[in-house]
Amino acid sequence: MTLASATVPSERHEPPGGGPPGKGSARINRSAGTWFLVLPALIPILVLSVGPLLYGIALSFTDAQSGRTRSTQWTGVLNFQDLLHDGLFWESFRIGLVWAVGVTVPQFVLALGLALLLSQNLRMRWLARALAIIPWAMPEVVVGIMWRLVYNPDAGILNETIRDLGLGDGRDWLTGLATALPAVILVGVWAGMPQTTVALLAGLQNTPYELHEAAALDGAGAWRRFRTVTWPALRPVALSITALNFIWNFNSFALVYVLTNGGPGGRTRLPMLFAYEEAFRYGQFGYAAAMGCVMVAVISVILAVYLVGRLGGGEDR
């Protein structure tokens, strides 16, 4: 056999990726197709959320004020230093925490009771469920106007009921220093309870009915069945909706603005209302942006604690 007639195996030329020909290009095409599908949803997020957030952070390091002829100067952390010594802001921050906790906790407790009731096999249950979500369907401005009429000191239904029952002459609930914040918290609980109820009701319906039957056959009462069967299945949903409600309530603006505009005497001035007044009443855009950064930082910490708690607890749902 001569060297010329010997069979020499031909070398395979593989693409740089190491796979069969065309596999790398197919992967690139799939990635491009995925981005093409995600882009319509991503653009509004970038334009309406990420962009304003970055602009607000940059604005907090300037002395930006209202007025076309006024030039904006870079001031570094001066706004944040002033914010540390601003007692009015930290008082509004305290009020915001009281408001958020005061709304979120009763909201969850009442929504849990309502969800447990609506999960039972009741007559006309569909109607009860429809009526329970009516406050959720109403805009916050409409809710605020409606409750201002309820709290009206002269012709409001609340004071009229108090007078008819002989309990007194009523009072001006939204302008009293001692009653304004509790009155606003009551409205917040009423307005936000439906969405919590819907979330908890969805969680209850995902609980296997066989577990309840087995617990009942073992002689477990209603409270024990709730503690050992219902709550473990409902806990991930409860934690998620509670965290979201706290963040939503802490950032509230429209409802309290319509009801009290932060009064009386700042007793219901939430952080968002304080920042709004600094920006659009006094024209201090840079200072208001610094307040917004502080609130974003607080919300980020709350989210981090929540996520660490869930991951640490081994909850992956």
Side-chain angles (χ1 to χ4, degrees):
M1 181 182 297
T2 63
L3 183 62
S5 63
T7 303
V8 179
S10 59
E11 297 182 359
R12 292 182 60 188
H13 296 281
E14 296 184 355
K23 187 175 181 180
S25 60
R27 186 182 298 111
I28 294 174
N29 290 335
R30 286 198 301 269
S31 178
T34 301
W35 279 107
F36 181 77
L37 294 174
V38 172
L39 200 59
L42 189 61
I43 290 177
I45 295 176
L46 294 175
V47 173
L48 301 177
S49 297
V50 178
L53 176 62
L54 296 178
Y55 178 73
I57 293 174
L59 202 65
S60 66
F61 295 97
T62 68
D63 63 349
Q65 298 181 16
S66 60
R68 293 184 178 181
T69 60
R70 183 176 181 83
S71 61
T72 300
Q73 303 294 330
W74 183 267
T75 60
V77 296
L78 182 61
N79 287 327
F80 295 95
Q81 291 176 354
D82 293 340
L83 201 59
L84 287 175
H85 302 91
D86 192 341
L88 292 177
F89 172 73
W90 294 112
E91 176 63 17
S92 73
F93 201 87
R94 183 192 67 82
I95 294 172
L97 290 177
V98 172
W99 153 267
V101 174
V103 172
T104 303
V105 174
Q107 201 175 77
F108 174 78
V109 174
L110 294 175
L112 179 60
L114 184 58
L116 290 171
L117 178 63
L118 294 178
S119 65
Q120 303 299 317
N121 190 17
L122 303 175
R123 184 177 300 177
M124 303 290 287
R125 184 174 60 177
W126 63 270
L127 179 60
R129 290 182 176 181
L131 294 176
I133 64 173
I134 286 179
W136 191 14
M138 298 173 64
E140 287 188 314
V141 174
V142 176
V143 172
I145 294 174
M146 182 186 72
W147 278 90
R148 280 183 67 93
L149 297 176
V150 172
Y151 285 134
N152 187 279
D154 298 322
I157 186 173
L158 180 58
N159 280 343
E160 287 292 332
T161 303
I162 291 175
R163 295 188 190 104
D164 292 341
L165 295 176
L167 300 177
D169 296 330
R171 59 174 66 191
D172 197 345
W173 299 93
L174 295 178
T175 59
L177 296 177
T179 59
L181 186 57
V184 173
I185 287 176
L186 176 62
V187 180
V189 172
W190 181 85
M193 194 172 66
Q195 70 176 31
T196 309
T197 302
V198 171
L200 295 176
L201 186 59
L204 288 172
Q205 291 179 340
N206 289 330
T207 306
Y209 183 71
E210 293 78 7
L211 296 178
H212 290 279
E213 287 185 333
L217 290 175
D218 289 339
W223 169 246
R224 186 178 177 186
R225 289 199 304 271
F226 173 80
R227 184 169 53 86
T228 59
V229 178
T230 304
W231 179 247
L234 197 61
R235 187 168 178 263
V237 178
L239 291 175
S240 299
I241 195 63
T242 302
L244 292 175
N245 282 343
F246 184 87
I247 294 171
W248 179 264
N249 291 326
F250 186 78
N251 290 325
S252 291
F253 173 81
L255 185 62
V256 181
Y257 181 80
V258 174
L259 284 169
T260 63
N261 196 18
R267 294 300 176 91
T268 61
R269 186 188 289 133
L270 304 182
M272 278 293 180
L273 280 172
F274 195 95
Y276 171 82
E277 290 179 352
E278 287 293 325
F280 299 105
R281 180 176 294 181
Y282 305 115
Q284 303 293 330
F285 295 137
Y287 193 54
M291 295 180 187
C293 289
V294 171
M295 286 183 279
V296 169
V298 171
I299 295 303
S300 300
V301 170
I302 294 172
L303 280 176
V305 171
Y306 165 71
L307 292 175
V308 169
R310 288 203 63 176
L311 294 176
E315 296 185 24
D316 55 356
R317 287 185 293 174

